[in-house]
Amino acid sequence: EAIPVDSWHKSVCRFCGSGCETRVGVRGGKVVKVEGLQEGWNRGRLCIKGLLNREILYVSDRAQYPMVRKNGQLVRVSWDEALDTAAAGFRDAIAQGGPDAVAFYGSGQLFTQESYTANKLFKGGIGTNNVDGNPRLCMASAAFGYKSVFGADEPSGCYDDIEHATTFFVIGANMAECHPVVWERVRDRIRTAPQTRVIVVDPRRTPTARDATLHLQIRPGTDVALLNAMSYELLRTGLVDRAFIDNFVTFRKGTADAPPLTLEDFQKFLEDYAPEKVADLCGLSSAEIREAARLWGISQAVMSFWTMGLNQQTHGVAANRMMMALHLLTGQIGRPGASPFSLTGQPNAGGGVRDTGSLAHALPAGRLVSKEKDRHEMEKSWGLPEGRISPNPGLSAVPLFEAMREGKVRAALVMATNPARSLPNADRYREGMEKAFLVVCDSIFPTDTAQMADVFLPAAMWAEKEGVFSQSERRYHLVQKLVEPPGEARSDLEILVAFGERLGHGELLKARTPEAVWDEWRRISAGSTYDFTGITYARLKELPGLVWPCPSEDHPGTCHRYVPGKDPLAKKEGRIDFYARPDGRAIVYLSEQGPFREALTSDYPMTLTTGRRLEHWHTATLTGRIPQLQGIDIDYLELHPGDAAVMGVKEGDWVQVTSARGSVRLQAKPSMRVRPGVVFALMHSMKHLVNAATSDSVDPTSGQPEYKVAAVRVEHV
Ligand code: SF4
C-alpha cells in the first residue's frame, strides 16, 4: 500500500562512500519514505542500507539530551551547562599542557561544513594541529598515494567510466557487499558487454569474486609484490604504452623530490619481483600472475577499484602507488573507461575530511601544515596573524590515542564516530579515552565511546540538519534539513560554533550557517587544484550533485581530471596534463614489498583479516539498532574447513582468536570463502571486540593501521 507523502526532496544516502542519491518523502514533520533517485548516478537503485535511511532516524537510542558526568554517572543537564563544562575541561587541559594537550577526532560522516569548521577552530583558533579522524583508518594510504603520484588527492575518473571499461581490476574491495550499487553498474556493463573481464584480488572468495573472470586469492598483505610482478610482466611482454611513459611519467624512489630515475632503473628493480620469484610469497601461481598481467595489458580500457583491503596495511601507500603505476605504465588513464579509482568507505571522508584538510598533517585544498606558504595562505584566508598556525604536524589517529594514554593529550572532542570500538588494538586506546577529558558528540546514545564521555552532546542526523556530502567520484551533494531533530539534539555545526565561542574563538567562526560556511570554503578552494567555486548552493539544490573541478557557475563539472579539453585546470595541449606536479609528469615509484610487520610464528600461526557484510556498516552503532537487521549474524569467524577439521571445530563452536595484543571469542563458521591459514571476522560485531586482536602497526607514511593483517592463533574453547 502506498505511503502518503506531503512533499518529496532530493538527498543522498547517509551510509557508504558510493553516495547514492535519494528521494525523501516527508509527511507531518517526519521522514516517511526514502527511495533511489531515478535521475541520480545510481539510476534509482539503493542497497538495503540505503533503503533503511529512514529507519535510522527513528531508532530507539537516538541521543536527545546533553549530559555531564557527575559522581561517575552521565546525567542530563542543560546545553549551557554541558558546553560550559566542555569548555572548562579544554581550558584546564590547555593551561596545563598548552594547545597540543587538546585534540579533535572527527569523522567522514560529518558534513563538509562541520569538518571544515572544526579544522579552523582547532588549527586557527586553539592553535593545535591535533585534528584527525576516522578517515585516517580507512583512506589515508589512498590520499597519500594520490598526492605523491599525481601531486593532488582523489581519483581522476568518474562512475561513467564503468560504461566504457573493458576490464575491471578489483583489489582489496568487496564491492558487491561494501559498494553494492556501484557494483550493480559494473554488473550492468558485464551484462551488456559480455566480453568484459573482471579480475578480483582478494584473500576471500567474496560475492564480488563470484563475478570474476580471474580470482587471485592472494595471501593478505602481499599486494605490493603482486603489483610489482604484474608490472614486471607487462614490461617483459611489451604490453606497456611507451609513448605515454616517455611523455608523462617519471620514476623515483621514496619521495616526490628524490632524483629522477629511468625506466631501465625501474625494470632492473623489478627483476626481484618476477612472477616466479614472488608467487609463493603471494600464495599464488606464477601463471595466475602472468594471466592477470596479460588480461590487463591487452585491454582497451582498464578501470581499477580498491579500498580498505589495499589501504589498511603497513605497505598501504606503496600498494596505492603501485596500483596507480600499473595505469601509468600502460597509459590506462584519462580515457573513457581507463581510470584508477579508490572507493571511499564513508559518505564524506573525501570532500569533508581530505579536501578540507581536516587531518593532522594537512590544511584546506591540498595545503600542508609543514609548508610556510600554505600556512600563511590559510592564516590570511582566516583573518589570523602570520605565525598563528603551528608548523608542527599534529598527531594522527593511533599516536593521538596513545598520547591520551600517556597523559600528553588531556582533552579531546570526538564527533560522529566510535573509536572505542573501531580503533585497532582497541583495549589499549580505551585506556587513553578513560584517562582523558572526553567530550563526545553523537546522534546515538549509548555507544562504546559515549559511555566513556565526561560530556555528551546529542547531535542531529542527516535530514535533521543541512550540509554537503561528497562521495567517491568527487561529486558534491546537498543534504537538506527536512525535519526537526529529536529532543534537544543540535547540528554538529551549531555545537562547534557554541563550543568555539566559549573558548573565545567566536570571531574566527563568523560563518555559522551551513550556506555561509560553504561559501567561505568555496572561496578558499578558488585557484587550487580542488577548485569548486562554481558549486553554489543554488546549483546543488537543483542538480543531482556536481563533480569538481568546477571553477565557474556555468561549468558542468569534470568527469576526467587532467585531460585537456575536459578538465578546466588542464592548460597544456596533448593527451594529458598532470598539472598538480611541477613538471607535469606523474610518478612511478620503485616500491618495495618489505617484510611483514608481524610475521607468523608457532605461537601465532594464522592470519586474521577483517571486513564488512552487505547489511551492516562500521561498528553497527546505526545498523545494529535497526529492527529489520537484528537477526543477521555479525559475530562469527570464517575459517577454512581444512583448518577447522584439524582443530576439531564445527559450525557454531566457540573459538578464541588471540594475537600478541588481545583476544576475542567468536563462533566458528567453516567456509571455503577463506584460504587455508587465513581467518576472517566482521568489524561490525557489537557483542565481541574484534579489534582487541587487530594490529595497530601503521604505514610509516600515511599513519593508516594494518587491520588486514594480524598474526593470531585460533583455539577451540
Ligand atoms: Fe547507501 Fe552505499 Fe548502499 Fe548506496 S551503496 S545505498 S550509498 S550504503
Side-chain angles (χ1 to χ4, degrees), residues 12-22 41-42 45-51 53 175 177-182 345 347 614 617:
V12 64
C13 176
R14 163 66 178 75
F15 289 105
C16 87
S18 301
C20 294
E21 295 172 74
T22 58
W41 70 264
N42 47 316
R45 285 174 175 148
L46 296 177
C47 77
I48 183 166
K49 295 186 289 291
L51 290 167
N53 265 273
M175 294 174 68
E177 295 201 82
C178 304
H179 296 86
V181 175
V182 182
L614 173 67
W617 199 66

Side-chain angles (χ1 to χ4, degrees), residues 62 83 102 114 123 174 185 198 210 263 279 281 291 319 340 355 382 398 442 518 558 628 672:
R62 284 301 309 276
L83 287 165
V102 302
E114 295 162 348
K123 289 180 184 162
N174 176 10
R185 262 182 88 163
V198 180
R210 278 191 219 130
L263 174 61
L281 174 74
E291 179 63 0
D355 298 358
W382 285 341
V398 171
D442 208 316
W518 178 253
T558 303
Q628 293 91 322
M672 292 296 284

Side-chain angles (χ1 to χ4, degrees), residues 80-160:
D80 276 341
E81 184 177 345
L83 287 165
D84 287 344
T85 309
F90 266 61
R91 271 196 300 272
D92 281 353
I94 294 167
Q96 289 174 46
D100 287 339
V102 302
F104 176 78
Y105 189 75
S107 168
Q109 296 157 60
L110 291 170
F111 286 143
T112 294
Q113 292 94 324
E114 295 162 348
S115 292
Y116 171 81
T117 299
N119 200 24
K120 182 178 172 186
L121 170 62
F122 277 73
K123 289 180 184 162
I126 295 171
T128 179
N129 292 325
N130 285 341
V131 174
D132 220 65
N134 61 18
R136 182 74 65 176
L137 312 180
C138 59
M139 295 309 291
S141 292
F144 276 82
Y146 283 121
K147 181 96 176 154
S148 63
V149 170
F150 299 111
D153 187 15
E154 298 250 34
S156 51
C158 61
Y159 291 150
D160 285 350

Side-chain angles (χ1 to χ4, degrees), residues 99 106 233 395:
E233 190 62 12
L395 295 165

